[in-house]
Amino acid sequence: MKPKILVTREVFDETLDYLAQHCEVEANQQDAAYGPDVLAQRLGDKDGMMCCLTDRVDAALLAACPRLKAVANIAVGYNNIDIAACTARGVMATNTPGVLDDSTADLAWALMLATARRITEVESHIRAGQWTGWRLKQWLGVDVHHATLGIIGMGRIGQVIARRAAGFDMKVIYSNRNRVAPEIERRLNAEYASREDLLARADFVVLQVPYSAETHHLIGAAELKTMKPTAILINSTRGGVVDDAALVEALKDGTIRGAGLDVFENEPRLNPGFLALKSVVLAPHIGSSTEATRRAMAMTAAQNLVTALSGGTPPNLLNAEANQKR
């Protein structure tokens, strides 16, 4: 008998075709997010779950779904999943690292360039029919080339972001929980710095850390005051890493020059203060949103789930201890 699974959000046809070869599939192709009660009801008789960052997998859900053996997240981040609770119940949890590194790095650069050159501002100006002609001092931005790029979080995606900086002749400094290997520093031409030193020196600060209790409000009012008044902050990692209310105030009073944001606290209910600011570029959490990357993410999650339910060890297993518990 095939294991029963729930796919909580709309995925691609080839993903469902692959899953159907191995599992009995219930799929939410209407793409309406399930609330906790509905999710628990639909998962009650399921062995596996393929979910997204919009789905909260916590102890209460797991208690309501005793058959559940595996949770496959279609994301590299997994702050929507209580890993400890999964491990306690012997539920394997997986993510999709690697396949989205380049696309997410591209989006960080898009935000950097758009903020530096005020692209959303000037496009709105043109669309409103307000452009009357060229002027020497019109829409002055800041240069990206030869600037200092500070990356907080030098994991896979952080390193891809740093690699692209060579094309702009930028100086790269980074802060990380642990210093990366010397050969990586040499390859990226990157200098290790404390977080405080990085914030004080960088023209562009790019955040690339996972969200956790440790990184909650990693950038708040004090950190923003440490930055240059000409600096630009880029958050393309997870909402909650930045204190959005503090950032709104910092942009209002000119503590920093601008910000490019793909993620927000309490998204999609972003802080309304951002909407009144011209110095911020806003995107709706699209870091990995290219067709090729999202297809690869969905298939990676599907393969993780099938492997887990077939008695194997998924390549992207987050809690190896879960197998010992079950």
Side-chain angles (χ1 to χ4, degrees):
M1 181 181 297
K2 291 181 178 180
K4 294 182 177 181
I5 67 168
L6 175 68
V7 180
T8 65
R9 299 297 296 266
E10 183 182 15
V11 294
F12 303 97
D13 289 344
E14 70 264 23
T15 312
L16 291 179
D17 291 344
Y18 170 78
L19 288 169
Q21 295 173 29
H22 305 276
C23 306
E24 184 178 325
V25 182
E26 178 183 338
N28 177 19
Q29 291 297 89
Q30 288 74 37
D31 207 33
Y34 293 142
D37 293 340
V38 174
L39 184 58
Q41 180 182 19
R42 292 189 176 275
L43 270 178
D45 65 341
K46 302 299 190 297
D47 303 292
M49 170 190 190
M50 196 162 89
C51 62
C52 297
L53 53 87
T54 53
D55 302 302
R56 178 65 185 161
V57 180
D58 55 18
L61 180 69
L62 295 170
C65 307
R67 283 185 53 171
L68 200 65
K69 301 179 180 67
V71 174
N73 212 33
I74 310 177
V76 64
Y78 49 89
N79 54 292
N80 58 309
I81 300 174
D82 186 332
I83 298 296
C86 286
T87 302
R89 288 188 169 271
V91 176
M92 288 182 279
T94 67
N95 66 340
T96 61
V99 295
L100 49 71
D101 294 354
D102 282 291
S103 296
T104 304
D106 285 351
L107 192 278
W109 274 94
L111 290 172
M112 204 183 316
L113 291 163
T115 309
R117 299 304 297 269
R118 305 170 65 178
I119 296 300
T120 56
E121 271 190 271
V122 297
E123 185 191 24
S124 296
H125 185 76
I126 289 175
R127 288 182 182 277
Q130 296 173 344
W131 189 39
T132 58
W134 185 91
R135 297 199 307 274
L136 183 65
K137 296 173 67 175
Q138 188 178 43
W139 301 112
L140 299 178
V142 294
D143 287 327
V144 175
H145 64 84
H146 297 110
T148 297
L149 172 63
I151 301 172
I152 299 180
M154 192 61 104
R156 290 183 312 273
I157 299 172
Q159 290 178 31
V160 177
I161 292 170
R163 193 169 68 235
R164 283 154 169 70
F168 289 84
D169 294 318
M170 299 182 84
K171 179 177 180 59
V172 177
I173 56 178
Y174 77 95
S175 174
N176 202 48
R177 180 185 298 176
N178 299 305
R179 188 168 181 169
V180 302
E183 57 269 24
I184 295 176
E185 288 187 348
R186 288 192 296 270
R187 184 169 66 247
L188 298 176
N189 195 24
E191 173 193 339
Y192 180 74
S194 69
R195 189 188 312 155
E196 293 74 17
D197 185 40
L198 182 150
L199 290 171
R201 294 168 57 194
D203 299 302
F204 296 88
V205 175
V206 177
L207 304 176
Q208 202 53 62
V209 297
Y211 178 75
S212 66
E214 183 182 355
T215 60
H216 177 72
H217 287 185
L218 185 72
I219 302 297
E223 290 76 20
L224 291 163
K225 289 177 182 176
T226 303
M227 294 171 63
K228 297 177 180 179
T230 54
I232 287 172
L233 177 71
I234 304 298
N235 187 10
S236 56
T237 181
R238 277 292 187 268
V241 173
V242 175
D243 181 341
D244 283 358
L247 178 57
V248 167
E249 292 306 311
L251 292 169
K252 280 182 179 179
D253 64 23
T255 299
I256 63 172
R257 180 185 179 92
L261 308 174
D262 185 45
V263 291
F264 309 89
E265 290 191 275
N266 305 311
E267 60 184 54
R269 298 184 303 277
L270 74 161
N271 188 310
F274 286 128
L275 301 178
L277 295 168
K278 294 182 178 180
S279 56
V280 61
V281 173
L282 308 172
H285 205 145
I286 58 169
S288 63
S289 191
T290 69
E291 183 170 350
T293 295
R294 288 285 171 87
R295 286 181 184 274
M297 290 169 64
M299 189 58 74
T300 299
Q303 291 166 346
N304 282 331
L305 187 57
V306 168
T307 301
L309 296 179
S310 300
T313 301
N316 302 306
L317 183 61
L318 295 167
N319 56 343
E321 303 90 345
N323 282 335
Q324 301 169 9
K325 291 282 186 179
R326 179 162 288 278

